[in-house]
Amino acid sequence: MTSIPSPERKQAVYAGAQAARDGMHRSENPHPVESETWSNWMDGFDHQTAWLLNGRGTYDPFAADASSPHETSHPFD
């Protein structure tokens, strides 16, 4: 079964991922700490950070071919 993420979740995840690519710090999350949007932004930020550390480029969990950052070999393997 596949769930369909809300447009708000997608927007927050993409914004967090973009923030990681732009070199922002996790503490710069602009959303209230107790909000679902804060958690979604952090998901995007943390996943993008892992992808960058593994040489994977842009993180897009909503793409048709979304994969784990560890599915291909690390550039230093």
Side-chain angles (χ1 to χ4, degrees):
M1 184 170 121
T2 303
S3 65
I4 299 172
S6 70
E8 294 82 14
R9 174 167 164 62
K10 281 185 171 182
Q11 183 179 13
V13 169
Y14 285 141
Q18 184 63 52
R21 288 191 298 275
D22 291 346
M24 290 177 64
H25 297 277
R26 294 178 90 240
S27 61
E28 295 180 81
N29 184 332
H31 305 286
V33 174
E34 299 297 323
S35 71
E36 186 175 341
T37 306
W38 183 90
S39 295
N40 291 331
W41 189 95
M42 293 302 275
D43 285 346
F45 186 92
D46 290 342
H47 281 88
Q48 179 64 69
T49 299
W51 277 54
L52 292 172
L53 291 172
N54 286 288
R56 292 295 307 273
T58 301
Y59 172 69
D60 186 355
F62 308 110
D65 62 346
S67 60
S68 161
H70 300 288
E71 285 186 4
T72 61
S73 33
H74 190 278
F76 303 110
D77 287 345

